[in-house]
Amino acid sequence: MGKTVLIVEDEQNIVDILSFNLEREGYDTLEAYDGPTGLQLALEQDPDLILLDLMLPKMSGFDVCSTLRSEGSAIP
């Protein structure tokens, strides 16, 4: 079993892309489509990392994934 990542995001296509790429790298993913569900999953499952639905200036979802993947300390 790999490290667990909780994805809190309301856009299904973003969740699919993140889940696919994280699972390819050996991570287990949990998905939540709103904040309260994400909070409940975080309390119940105690994930190693939580990715929140955030708008980052001048960064696409692919940029965020690339940054997390390239920085060894960002995803333990």
Side-chain angles (χ1 to χ4, degrees), residues 4 8-9 17 27 29 32-33 43 51 62:
T4 304
V8 182
E9 169 61 61
I17 291 167
Y27 294 93
T29 59
Y33 299 102
L43 293 172
L51 296 178
F62 291 110

Side-chain angles (χ1 to χ4, degrees), residues 3-71:
K3 295 203 179 272
T4 304
V5 178
L6 169 60
I7 302 168
V8 182
E9 169 61 61
D10 58 352
E11 294 288 333
Q12 182 64 48
N13 59 336
I14 293 173
V15 172
D16 292 343
I17 291 167
L18 285 169
S19 292
F20 175 78
N21 285 296
L22 287 167
E23 289 170 4
R24 280 183 37 198
E25 296 296 323
Y27 294 93
D28 298 320
T29 59
L30 304 168
E31 301 169 6
Y33 299 102
D34 62 32
T37 304
L39 177 59
Q40 187 66 34
L41 276 172
L43 293 172
E44 291 173 0
Q45 302 294 323
D46 192 28
D48 297 298
L49 178 68
I50 300 173
L51 296 178
L52 300 173
D53 180 8
L54 298 174
M55 298 296 290
L56 300 174
K58 300 183 182 183
M59 289 187 80
S60 69
F62 291 110
D63 294 335
V64 172
C65 284
S66 295
T67 300
L68 290 173
R69 186 174 183 192
S70 68
E71 298 196 20

